[in-house]
Amino acid sequence: LIKITEDMLSGMVFELFGQHKIVFNKYGGEDRDASGHEAVEIDFAPPYRRISMIAELERILEVSFPADLASDEANEFLRTLCAARKVRCSPPLTTARLLDKLVGEYIEPTCVNPTFICDHPQIMSPLAKWHRTSPSLTERFELMVCGRELCNAYTELNDPLEQRSRFLDQVKDR
């Protein structure tokens, strides 16, 4: 699915602009808008960067996350980490929300050129099937461009008992 998405987007950009590189200003205008925001060059030529969510957060923040992200220990670790980094998160302070805030603060802004954020923890993805090689993760990706999400895709969980269990876990966190 990643390859299909990459081929579709790069092909579309090439068809529209005759090249894979475009200049974009998310605030409007071409090179610089009235407020002084500069345009950026985005290269849609494949292959796109692929990063593993937790591994990238650990690298950027220079920390090691607890192995069990569904644990109370992991939630306390993330609360402390967000507080120390002054990353605000409104209640409820669930592990999924705290992780999402960290990703939004530290990973998404680095994704100017197309980037796949992969390997989301199960705790963030109740409808996604578990990862084939790492059961605590899911087969899910988000495609980011210029700090914005263009695509969110996952292998759908089709086990109704497992779906129920995950939904009950989410309700418990509210």
Side-chain angles (χ1 to χ4, degrees):
L1 193 53
I2 285 178
K3 177 80 170 106
I4 292 168
T5 304
E6 188 175 69
D7 289 346
M8 179 184 67
L9 186 58
S10 66
M12 181 179 68
V13 168
F14 192 85
E15 184 67 28
L16 290 170
F17 298 98
Q19 60 183 356
H20 285 114
K21 292 183 181 180
I22 65 168
V23 175
F24 176 72
N25 187 333
K26 66 182 176 181
Y27 298 101
E30 299 226 356
D31 294 327
R32 182 184 297 269
D33 66 12
S35 299
H37 298 105
E38 290 194 37
V40 295
E41 182 177 78
I42 303 171
D43 187 355
F44 286 91
Y48 298 164
R49 182 168 70 135
R50 290 159 171 78
I51 57 177
S52 180
M53 179 189 286
I54 299 301
E56 186 70 0
L57 281 173
E58 288 178 327
R59 185 189 70 76
I60 292 170
L61 299 172
E62 298 178 338
V63 298
S64 293
F65 282 64
D68 181 6
L69 289 173
S71 69
D72 290 339
E73 171 197 2
N75 183 269
E76 186 56 39
F77 169 83
L78 291 168
R79 285 177 188 226
T80 302
L81 182 61
C82 285
R85 301 290 177 136
K86 295 182 176 39
V87 174
R88 294 183 184 191
C89 183
S90 57
L93 299 179
T94 65
T95 300
R97 286 177 54 82
L98 293 164
L99 282 168
D100 190 54
K101 290 296 183 183
L102 288 168
V103 169
E105 185 73 26
Y106 291 100
I107 296 179
E108 290 176 4
T110 71
C111 301
V112 176
N113 288 324
T115 303
F116 291 106
I117 301 175
C118 306
D119 305 330
H120 291 63
Q122 273 191 14
I123 198 159
M124 295 180 77
S125 310
L127 293 176
K129 194 172 270 189
W130 50 89
H131 197 283
R132 294 162 209 228
T133 58
S134 184
S136 65
L137 304 176
T138 59
E139 291 187 352
R140 175 182 170 195
F141 69 82
E142 293 174 329
L143 174 60
M144 306 297 294
V145 177
C146 212
R148 299 286 184 235
E149 181 182 318
L150 291 190
C151 176
N152 183 10
Y154 54 89
T155 305
E156 187 172 2
L157 179 64
N158 53 9
D159 177 340
L161 298 176
E162 182 63 24
Q163 283 179 335
R164 178 178 170 80
S165 172
R166 291 188 191 183
F167 282 133
L168 290 173
D169 286 343
Q170 273 193 327
V171 168
K172 185 174 54 177
D173 285 338
R174 292 180 191 240

